[in-house]
Amino acid sequence: MDSVFSGSSLQNLAKLLRDAPEEEDDDDDDDVPLCSVGAMTPGSVGPAKKETTSTFQVKSENKKTIWNPEEVPENSEFDDTWDPREKPEYEISFKQHVGTEDVFFGMTGKDPSTACCEDIVIKIKLPETKYSDITLDIQDKVLDLRTPKKKLLLHLPYPVNSKEGRARFLSEEEILEVTLRVSRKLDFLNFSDG
């Protein structure tokens, strides 16, 4: 029974469990420690560990930056998840400018899809709000509305021209109506008046 628990039997067991080279040399015990059983640990059983060294490479030219601009999602500077204000109800609709040539003759090729719409109309319900309390910021793809009680961060379905937008507050209905001009490439070819 002593031979089962001896140091040499544990060393032989460790040697069997290791991924040893093809040649079986009983005299070559370089991988197994030759000292007593106390020197063997669970880490000494199994394949030999290879030391790996890894280096961290900074891709950015500026060493003070924490992340690369490519890693930041677009428009994430507007995300405000810890703001306790509630989100107001809103409705998005699309508006087309049509004339008799569109309605009766179909000469311009417009259809009722959103791809042929020129404007986005957003109606936001703001109960118990005064016009002076509204802060509205329009970017190319984001509408950011803030009041003392409400907050709306809306990612727009199409890029818009923020300089051509208009807003009006209907105080009787407590609705802010924002009309934004859709900015798509080649719209001057599709919707020209000539």
Side-chain angles (χ1 to χ4, degrees):
M1 198 74 166
D2 286 10
S3 65
V4 174
F5 295 105
S6 69
S8 63
S9 65
L10 287 176
Q11 289 176 351
N12 289 334
L13 178 62
K15 188 172 183 177
L16 284 173
L17 293 175
R18 287 182 194 245
D19 292 331
E22 292 297 319
E23 54 188 65
E24 293 284 329
D25 245 352
D26 289 337
D27 297 334
D28 187 24
D29 289 333
D30 292 339
D31 295 348
V32 181
L34 296 174
C35 52
S36 69
V37 177
M40 296 206 47
T41 64
S44 60
V45 177
K49 306 258 192 273
K50 295 180 175 63
E51 289 186 31
T52 59
T53 58
S54 62
T55 58
F56 180 75
Q57 295 180 348
V58 178
K59 295 178 183 176
S60 175
E61 294 84 28
N62 186 359
K63 303 292 184 201
K64 293 183 180 181
T65 60
I66 299 172
W67 56 78
N68 289 329
E70 297 87 31
E71 296 173 343
V72 179
E74 187 173 330
N75 296 324
S76 65
E77 67 269 12
F78 296 107
D79 290 337
D80 205 1
T81 56
W82 299 107
D83 196 339
R85 293 179 282 186
E86 67 177 279
K87 185 177 186 179
E89 292 181 33
Y90 65 92
E91 175 185 310
I92 297 176
S93 56
F94 295 89
K95 187 163 107 178
Q96 278 186 355
H97 300 284
V98 293
T100 54
E101 67 275 359
D102 297 312
V103 176
F104 297 111
F105 304 116
M107 294 172 62
T108 60
K110 287 186 180 179
D111 61 23
S113 71
T114 60
C116 293
C117 294
E118 291 93 5
D119 295 321
I120 297 176
V121 180
I122 304 160
K123 294 182 180 180
I124 307 164
K125 294 182 183 178
L126 298 171
E128 302 172 6
T129 304
K130 294 185 291 184
Y131 173 73
S132 59
D133 293 338
I134 299 172
T135 303
L136 183 64
D137 183 25
I138 308 287
Q139 301 293 323
D140 290 341
K141 294 183 180 181
V142 176
L143 178 138
D144 187 9
L145 173 108
R146 312 270 172 147
T147 68
K149 295 181 182 177
K150 306 277 186 180
K151 172 196 71 124
L152 177 64
L153 177 72
L154 184 62
H155 294 274
L156 301 170
Y158 294 108
V160 296
N161 186 347
S162 59
K163 296 186 183 8
E164 289 187 25
R166 60 189 179 278
R168 66 181 181 155
F169 186 64
L170 309 171
S171 57
E172 300 84 31
E173 301 171 26
E174 297 180 322
I175 291 178
L176 178 68
E177 184 180 271
V178 181
T179 304
L180 301 170
R181 177 67 64 165
V182 175
S183 174
R184 287 186 288 245
K185 294 180 181 179
L186 305 177
D187 270 358
F188 64 92
L189 292 175
N190 297 330
F191 304 122
S192 63
D193 292 335

